[in-house]
Amino acid sequence: MMSFLSAIFCRHLHVGDRLRLYGGYDMEPRWLNGKETLTGKCVAFIKGQNKQPAAVVELDEPISFEGVTGKTVVLELRYVGAFWTKSEVVHVELCNFVPEDKAWKDRAQGVWAESHASYAIL
């Protein structure tokens, strides 16, 4: 039988889950547009760059970065062997379109916004 703490930490990310996105490589990550966190909802999973799928998240509010404004971000797990659990480190791609269910190299691409962001399921 799984313990209560194991159940909390083994929680997987699912479509419909609300997320908090935060952090990055720099102390004040530019992709957050001066905010500490962004929130949104996981709306889909698409083919990822590695063995794990990428998560598509619709943000509650649009953000602008490197000349692109959009409400859709694609999250890719940062580390080999990582899984979509309660919290993890991710790459962030900002899109002003809905990405196709294809790997990054085979679809229209947004702007690469961050390599060391984190998410947490709310």
Side-chain angles (χ1 to χ4, degrees):
M1 176 180 239
M2 187 181 292
S3 74
F4 175 73
L5 287 178
S6 295
I8 291 172
F9 292 113
C10 291
R11 168 85 159 80
H12 293 276
L13 178 65
H14 296 104
V15 170
D17 285 341
R18 299 235 353 113
L19 305 175
R20 178 173 60 98
L21 299 170
Y22 59 96
Y25 187 78
D26 295 321
M27 291 295 289
E28 294 182 19
R30 291 184 324 124
W31 75 279
L32 290 173
N33 288 254
K35 297 180 179 183
E36 289 186 24
T37 66
L38 300 173
T39 54
K41 181 171 77 171
C42 180
V43 295
F45 286 97
I46 61 175
K47 290 177 180 62
Q49 291 293 92
N50 52 37
K51 293 181 181 180
Q52 292 294 317
V56 180
V57 174
E58 183 179 314
L59 300 173
D60 293 339
E61 300 174 9
I63 61 170
S64 295
F65 186 78
E66 300 288 327
V68 173
T69 299
K71 286 183 68 169
T72 303
V73 293
V74 178
L75 307 180
E76 294 263 5
L77 291 166
R78 171 84 172 105
Y79 298 109
V80 173
F83 294 95
W84 291 107
T85 59
K86 186 168 176 70
S87 181
E88 192 56 72
V89 178
V90 292
H91 296 282
V92 179
E93 173 191 0
L94 174 62
C95 300
N96 57 2
F97 56 89
V98 176
E100 295 178 90
D101 185 8
K102 296 180 179 179
W104 180 81
K105 65 182 181 57
D106 298 325
R107 63 171 169 79
Q109 299 163 5
V111 63
W112 200 254
E114 180 58 60
S115 63
H116 290 77
S118 296
Y119 75 87
I121 299 173
L122 296 174

